[in-house]
Amino acid sequence: MSFTHDDTRAINTIRVLAADTVFKSNSGHPGAPMGCAPMAHLVFSRFMNYNPKNPKWANRDRFVLSNGHACALQYILLHLMGYNLTIDDLKSFRQLHSKTPGHPESHITEGIEVTTGPLGQGFANAVGLAIAEAHMAATFNKPGYELFNNYTFMITGDGCLQEGVSCEAASLAGHLQLGKLIALYDDNHISIDGDTEVSFTEDVVKRFEAYGWHVIVVKDGNSDLESIASAIEEAKKVTDKPSLIKVFTTIGFGSLLQGTEKVHGSPLKADDIVQLKKNMGFNPEESFVVPQEVYDLYHAKAAKGAALNQSWDALVEKYSAEYPELGAELKRRLNKELPQNWADALPRFTPADKPVATRKLSEAVLNKIADILPELVIGSADLTGSNLTRWKTAVDFQPENSGIGNYSGRYLRYGVREHGMCAVMNGLDAYGGIIPAGATFLNFISYASGAVRLSALSGHRVLYIMTHDSIGLGEDGPTHQPIETMAMIRATPDLVDLRPADGNETSGAYLFAITTKHRPSVLALTRQDLPQLEGSSIEKTLHGGYVLQEVQGADVTLIGTGSEVSLCVDAAKLLAQKGIKARIVSMPSTTLFDEQSHDYRASVLIDGVPAVSVEAMTTFGWSRYAHESIGIDTFGASGPFKEVYKHFGLVPDAVADKVQKIVEFYKSQARIPSLVRKTFQ
C-alpha cells in the first residue's frame, strides 16, 4: 500500500484540528487524538466502508472509539468524511446542546455507533457489534448474496484494557472466534497518574493471546503508516480470531508536552499550538483550517462507500425477489417493526390457574414468542437453569467448529460475565435487526450498572431478565438478596422497571419491553410461586400501576409490586375482618405509572385515603406514592424464604397489624396530603 504527501497532510490536519478544538472549548483531551491520528486516518481512508449520506446503511463497517475521551478525533473524522458535522460544530465542542458533546453520544451525533466514555464499555459494545454481524450473516446470507460482511474496528487504550468489563468481553470474543473484530490498541504508556509503569505492567500481548486473539505489534505508530496498514491487512485475513493490533504511539505527538500525562486532559497552551502548526506546515495565525486535498481524500473514500451502499441496496432487492420471506423479514427487522399480531401469543391467565413463579411464567412467554420473533437474541450469565431463559427450540450461538451451536443460533452463553453481557447487548442493539435480552439474578445487575446506565442514556432496547428478585430467594442469603437494587433501577432515567405480580403482568411486561423501541427494561422476577390474581391483565400492566381491587368507602390503599401484591390481597382480607376496607393497587412499574396522565394517577392514588406501600425491599423512594411504607431497610437474611418473610414482618397478619395502626393514625389527622396533586408532579 503506497502513501503520499496527502496522507501526511491529512494526519497533521487531524492533529492540528484536535489542538484547535480542545483549545477553543478550554476543555477536553487533545493528547490521544494527536497520538492516534495516523492509525485513525488509515482506518477511515483505506479500510472502512461507510456512507455519510446514509449513516445507517446496514452493512457499513462499524467503528467504536472505546477511549471516548478522545472524541475530538472522531468528530474531526466525521467532519472530514462529510457527515452532518460542520467546522462550526467542532468550534462548539463540549458546549451545551452541541453535536459534539464531551464524550461520544450515539443519540446526539450522526455517525457515532455507540455511546462511550466510561472506559471499557466501548470495547464490549464492539464485541456486541461483531456478534451481531456474525449472526445476521449466518441468518440471511445465501450463495451469491453476501448481505452482511462488515468489519467492526475499534480504537482502545490502556484505561479500557484495565477495566474489568473489557476483560470479560475480550474473553468472550476470543471464545466466539469473532474474526471480523479488529481492535487497535493505542499503547502510549500514559494514564492520568503518569506513566503506566505505576500501575499497569502486565504483558497485554500474552493476555490477549491467552484469550484466543490474534495479536500484532506495531512499534512506531507515529509515522510508520506501512506497518499500521500491513497489520490491519493481516488482521482482516485472520477469520477465526478477533485481532488486537498493539500500536506504540506518543500521546500529544507534536506538542511540547508530548509523551506526558500533562497533554492528556488539558488544552495545549497558545505558544505550544503555534509551534505545532509551524512544524506541521500550517499557518499559526489561522485556526480550524482543512486543506482541500484532505477533504478530497476523505470525500473520495465516502463516494466509494456510497457506491457500495447503492450496490448493496440493489442486491437486497434481488435477494428479496429470490427469497421473498427472508427479504421481508430482513426489511422488517431493520426498520424495528414487529410481526403483525405477535402479541396474540402472549399467555393469559385466570385466578383458576395454578400459582407459578414469575421466572417460570417468563419462560412460558419466551417459549410462546421466541419463534415468532426471530430478532430476539437471548442469553444468560451462566444461570440458564435458574433464569429459565432458554426456550425449547433454541440453538446456541457458537462457532460452527465448536460442535455445540452455530452463528445463526440465538442463545448466547455469556458465562459468569454480567457486566460484559450487558455491555455486549448494547452493541447488539446498536447494530440493528436484533432485540437482545440477557439474564442473571436481580442482585447482580449491580455488577453491570455501568452498562445498564448507558443502555438508558443511549436509548437501547435491551431486556434485562432479572430473576430471584427479593428475599424470596431464601437460603442464599443477603449476599444474593436485592434490597436497594430496584430503587437504583427506578432512579435511573429512561430505564423501565417491571416487577410483575402474576402471569398476566409478566406477559404485559414483555409486551412493553419488546414494543418500546428506544428504552431498556428490567424485568424483576420471582423464584417463588405466586397466585394468579383477580383483576390483573396484560393491558393494565402497561399503565405501570392500576387498581386491582376497588372498594367503596375505602379506609386505606395498599400498593404492592411483584410478590407483595398477593401479600396485600391476603392482608386486605384480614383487615376486612377488622372492619377496615382496603383497596389494592398493583404497581408493576413506577416509571410507567409516572408517565400516565394526572387524572389517571389521581384515580389510582385517590385523595383523602392513606396509602401504604408493601415491598420486600427498601422503602426508599416510596414516599412519592405512599404515605407510609412497609419494607426492608436492612440487608436480608439466610433461611427458607417463608421464614425470612416472617422474620421481616412481610406476612399477612403482620402487614394487617401495621396497616391498622396506620389507618388509626390518619383518622386523627386533620388532613391527608395528596400524593398526586402537587405543583411539579
Side-chain angles (χ1 to χ4, degrees):
M1 188 175 288
S2 60
F3 303 98
T4 69
H5 171 73
D6 288 347
D7 291 293
T8 302
R9 191 67 165 159
I11 291 166
N12 288 340
T13 298
I14 294 169
R15 287 168 168 157
V16 168
L17 275 178
D20 281 343
T21 298
V22 176
F23 181 81
K24 187 175 189 309
S25 71
N26 196 32
S27 175
H29 302 76
M34 296 168 71
C36 291
M39 70 174 90
H41 165 69
L42 291 181
V43 167
F44 283 95
S45 68
R46 293 294 199 278
F47 292 99
M48 280 190 62
N49 294 320
Y50 50 85
N51 181 10
K53 304 302 181 186
N54 181 19
K56 295 298 184 181
W57 168 35
N59 196 41
R60 67 192 181 279
D61 288 327
R62 269 57 167 191
F63 174 78
V64 175
L65 185 68
S66 187
N67 47 339
H69 57 269
C71 57
L73 172 68
Q74 196 166 10
Y75 298 148
I76 290 164
L77 286 162
L78 290 173
H79 169 69
L80 296 178
M81 291 184 286
Y83 282 83
N84 184 24
L85 199 149
T86 67
I87 280 286
D88 286 338
D89 291 321
L90 294 180
K91 293 177 180 178
S92 297
F93 180 55
R94 288 190 162 219
Q95 303 308 300
L96 190 63
H97 305 311
S98 77
K99 294 180 184 177
T100 50
H103 289 85
E105 297 183 47
S106 58
H107 59 292
I108 289 178
T109 311
E110 196 174 84
I112 301 294
E113 299 290 353
V114 291
T115 298
T116 62
L119 294 177
Q121 293 291 335
F123 191 110
N125 297 163
V127 173
L129 290 166
I131 291 172
E133 183 280 330
H135 176 69
M136 294 293 278
T139 301
F140 289 105
N141 288 2
K142 297 289 182 183
Y145 295 100
E146 197 169 347
L147 300 184
F148 293 96
N149 59 7
N150 69 275
Y151 284 84
T152 298
F153 294 92
M154 163 193 9
I155 290 179
T156 188
D158 293 303
C160 293
L161 298 190
Q162 292 173 59
E163 291 284 359
V165 65
S166 69
C167 303
E168 294 179 22
S171 174
L172 181 64
H175 165 74
L176 293 175
Q177 303 176 22
L178 301 175
K180 287 196 169 74
L181 174 61
I182 299 174
L184 292 100
Y185 165 29
D186 172 31
D187 186 4
N188 59 36
H189 232 260
I190 292 295
S191 65
I192 293 174
D193 277 359
D195 194 295
T196 53
E197 68 181 6
V198 303
S199 61
F200 188 52
T201 54
E202 69 191 44
D203 190 329
V204 173
V205 169
K206 289 182 179 177
R207 171 155 68 98
F208 273 76
E209 287 175 342
Y211 285 150
W213 287 56
H214 176 66
V215 182
I216 311 163
V217 176
V218 175
K219 295 182 179 179
D220 177 10
N222 299 323
S223 57
D224 189 353
L225 302 186
E226 185 62 47
S227 292
I228 299 171
S230 295
I232 297 172
E233 288 176 329
E234 178 183 334
K236 291 184 71 174
K237 292 175 183 176
V238 178
T239 60
D240 62 346
K241 292 181 180 181
S243 291
L244 180 78
I245 304 172
K246 180 178 179 178
V247 185
F248 287 100
T249 66
T250 301
I251 190 171
F253 184 87
S255 166
L256 297 173
L257 299 173
Q258 70 175 30
T260 72
E261 72 277 8
K262 295 177 181 179
V263 78
H264 166 75
S266 300
L268 273 61
K269 302 297 184 183
D271 60 341
D272 197 357
I273 294 178
V274 168
Q275 69 83 29
L276 174 74
K277 290 180 177 179
K278 285 182 178 178
N279 290 337
M280 294 193 172
F282 286 80
N283 184 348
E285 303 296 322
E286 298 176 340
S287 297
F288 292 95
V289 172
V290 179
Q292 187 58 46
E293 63 266 28
V294 175
Y295 279 131
D296 291 344
L297 188 157
Y298 280 101
H299 291 173
K301 179 62 174 172
K304 291 179 181 178
L308 289 171
N309 188 169
Q310 187 175 15
S311 298
W312 188 85
D313 289 342
L315 186 66
V316 169
E317 292 309 311
K318 187 178 177 183
Y319 174 90
S320 298
E322 187 166 345
Y323 303 99
E325 290 186 8
L326 281 174
E329 181 186 317
L330 172 62
K331 293 176 182 178
R332 175 186 67 74
R333 287 170 59 169
L334 292 178
N335 289 328
K336 283 197 167 185
E337 297 171 356
L338 297 170
Q340 287 187 347
N341 305 319
W342 74 272
D344 292 347
L346 291 169
R348 292 178 183 267
F349 299 84
T350 72
D353 292 314
K354 67 179 182 178
V356 183
T358 52
R359 64 169 176 152
K360 190 72 176 174
L361 293 163
S362 166
E363 180 184 39
V365 170
L366 295 179
N367 273 301
K368 289 288 187 180
I369 68 172
D371 291 333
I372 299 172
L373 295 172
E375 56 263 56
L376 272 177
V377 174
I378 305 173
S380 171
D382 198 49
L383 286 169
T384 296
S386 296
N387 301 142
L388 304 179
T389 39
R390 195 174 191 275
W391 63 103
K392 293 176 182 177
T393 59
V395 174
D396 282 8
F397 179 92
Q398 298 281 358
E400 191 78 47
N401 61 14
S402 69
I404 53 176
N406 56 67
Y407 284 157
S408 66
R410 295 162 48 213
Y411 195 78
L412 272 160
R413 307 282 187 168
Y414 285 105
V416 189
R417 304 183 181 101
E418 294 90 352
H419 199 179
M421 172 180 73
C422 295
V424 163
M425 289 196 293
N426 288 338
L428 288 171
D429 178 73
Y431 189 89
I434 290 171
I435 301 175
T440 184
F441 289 177
L442 177 61
N443 198 52
F444 299 143
I445 198 172
S446 300
Y447 270 136
S449 59
V452 176
R453 188 175 187 273
L454 286 180
S455 295
L457 175 62
S458 306
H460 290 306
R461 175 171 51 182
V462 175
L463 278 66
Y464 295 102
I465 303 172
M466 302 287 113
T467 69
H468 297 62
D469 71 340
S470 73
I471 57 170
L473 68 83
E475 290 85 351
D476 278 339
T479 59
H480 286 50
Q481 294 166 350
I483 298 295
E484 77 289 355
T485 313
M486 287 302 295
M488 177 188 73
I489 290 165
R490 290 166 179 151
T492 304
D494 294 325
L495 179 62
V496 180
D497 58 303
L498 293 160
R499 190 169 184 243
D502 69 352
N504 288 328
E505 289 193 3
T506 302
S507 291
Y510 273 101
L511 176 60
F512 173 82
I514 291 171
T515 302
T516 188
K517 293 183 179 180
H518 302 290
R519 299 174 79 178
S521 301
V522 177
L523 283 71
L525 307 170
T526 67
R527 179 193 185 197
Q528 73 272 30
D529 290 342
L530 301 179
Q532 311 303 331
L533 299 168
E534 182 75 46
S536 71
S537 79
I538 292 174
E539 292 73 22
K540 291 176 183 176
T541 306
L542 303 181
H543 295 299
Y546 63 94
V547 180
L548 182 75
Q549 294 181 16
E550 189 61 273
V551 61
Q552 295 300 313
D555 298 300
V556 67
T557 297
L558 300 182
I559 307 168
T561 78
S563 49
E564 286 70 68
V565 178
S566 55
L567 171 57
C568 288
V569 171
D570 292 339
K573 293 175 182 177
L574 296 179
L575 289 167
Q577 295 173 12
K578 300 178 182 182
I580 298 174
K581 297 179 180 180
R583 58 199 298 273
I584 300 170
V585 168
S586 179
M587 189 78 76
S589 175
T590 60
T591 301
L592 295 184
F593 183 72
D594 289 344
E595 295 171 1
Q596 305 308 306
S597 70
H598 180 279
D599 288 346
Y600 177 80
R601 287 182 287 115
S603 73
V604 175
L605 303 178
I606 60 175
D607 288 347
V609 176
V612 182
S613 68
V614 183
E615 188 173 49
M617 298 179 186
T618 181
T619 60
F620 181 82
W622 277 107
S623 59
R624 184 170 182 173
Y625 311 98
H627 300 96
E628 304 283 348
S629 296
I630 299 172
I632 306 171
D633 290 316
T634 66
F635 288 111
S638 176
F641 81 90
K642 290 183 180 179
E643 294 179 20
V644 176
Y645 264 90
K646 185 175 182 179
H647 169 74
F648 285 105
L650 289 164
V651 289
D653 56 345
V655 169
D657 287 345
K658 290 179 181 178
V659 172
Q660 182 178 5
K661 293 175 182 176
I662 291 169
V663 171
E664 290 171 354
F665 170 79
Y666 278 96
K667 282 182 177 179
S668 68
Q669 301 300 300
R671 176 178 171 273
I672 300 174
S674 175
L675 292 164
V676 176
R677 303 184 195 283
K678 299 178 181 179
T679 305
F680 295 109
Q681 187 171 330

